[in-house]
Amino acid sequence: MAQRPYIVGNWKMHGTRAMLSEARAIDRAAQRHMKVEVAIAPPFTLIHPVHREAEQIGVGAQDCHHEAEGAFTGDISAAMIADAGAKFVILGHSERREAHGETDALVRAKAETALAAGLRIILCCGESAKTRDSGKAVAFVRKQLKASLPEPDQAFEDASERITVAYEPIWAIGSGNAATIADIVEMHAAIRALLIDLYGEEQGSEVRILYGGSVKPENASEILTAPEVGGALVGGASLTADSFMGIALAAAVETEDS
Ligand code: PGA
């Protein structure tokens, strides 16, 4: 059965308690669009407050440590974010891969730890401008994803429920220029084929593949109706209820039309 479109806001390092009113507004608006799954990943410090306020939207984190616990000053474990109310965690975002040197192997270890803690995961992948220009984007993303996703036997039987992939070309993030629909369609088809290879037809064909990188209300409809696009991972445009719900509304309209 096809899953609902999934619209996820990644607040990155934005938001103090003053932003809770925005989360409340997103939650209220999401109650009017039940055919769309809406979630936000605020900074760690807002997970619990948003969880307490939210009646409809899902709440998640933007990262977690790859070990279950231990002497890791300043780090946060999967169990801690789950305890704070998170139901999912974004892993392998390019900003973490670049600024924190996260390798594919580390991202995979985090994914397996997060799944073991009962969380769902949104695993990010995406190529740089240089890789795209060299014509190797699809091969790069396939390799990156294959090495970052949990091993099939670690993904449990419900991979399609617990795992979401987000394709986010690095050059499109925060640039105002989303990838072209043709590029999105080509990449999502390649990711779908990989997911079926890894997790089998039944699970692999149902894992949602989100697109991320300069998604906004104005381009959401076109992106969300492209083949194999199961939703969007939204950065800048998720910081206000107005723009974020404009994207969710585009997803809702498409669901009603289909
Ligand atoms: P953007 O960020 O929507 O601001 O481009 C997307 C992301 O980094 O997840």
Side-chain angles (χ1 to χ4, degrees), residues 117-158:
L119 291 166
R120 295 159 69 195
I121 60 170
I122 298 177
L123 209 137
C124 303
C125 59
E127 80 287 355
S128 65
K130 195 166 161 230
T131 304
R132 169 130 318 254
D133 291 345
S134 70
K136 297 192 180 116
V138 170
F140 174 87
V141 167
R142 264 189 78 91
K143 188 160 171 273
Q144 182 186 53
L145 204 49
K146 196 163 179 216
S148 305
L149 278 165
E151 296 276 8
D153 59 332
Q154 297 282 330
F156 314 109
E157 280 157 17
D158 48 357

Side-chain angles (χ1 to χ4, degrees), residues 19-33:
M19 280 279 282
L20 286 174
S21 57
E22 225 53 55
R24 270 194 295 274
I26 291 169
D27 189 61
R28 270 198 309 275
Q31 292 175 26
R32 295 195 296 273
H33 302 295

Side-chain angles (χ1 to χ4, degrees), residues 32-95:
R32 295 195 296 273
H33 302 295
M34 304 287 275
K35 287 186 179 163
V36 179
E37 188 174 348
V38 178
I40 54 177
F44 289 129
T45 47
L46 289 183
I47 291 173
H48 194 245
V50 173
H51 163 71
R52 283 178 51 158
E53 302 267 352
E55 290 176 15
Q56 176 62 30
I57 58 172
V59 184
Q62 301 166 20
D63 181 44
C64 68
H65 199 270
H66 64 284
E67 294 284 356
E69 63 178 344
F72 302 106
T73 302
D75 283 315
I76 306 270
S77 74
M80 290 170 188
I81 58 180
D83 183 53
K87 296 287 183 288
F88 70 92
V89 58
I90 297 169
L91 294 172
H93 191 283
S94 59
E95 286 155 14

Side-chain angles (χ1 to χ4, degrees), residues 214-239:
S214 297
V215 178
K216 23 191 186 199
E218 303 79 53
N219 61 15
S221 188
E222 202 187 4
I223 292 171
L224 291 167
T225 47
E228 301 292 4
V229 175
L233 182 55
V234 185
S238 71
L239 294 172

Side-chain angles (χ1 to χ4, degrees), residues 138 141-142 145 167 181-197 204 209 226-229:
V138 170
V141 167
R142 264 189 78 91
L145 204 49
Y167 167 56
I181 300 297
D183 287 346
I184 296 173
V185 169
E186 181 191 33
M187 190 63 82
H188 282 225
I191 293 172
R192 174 67 67 214
L194 174 68
L195 289 167
I196 290 174
D197 268 5
I209 309 171
E228 301 292 4
V229 175

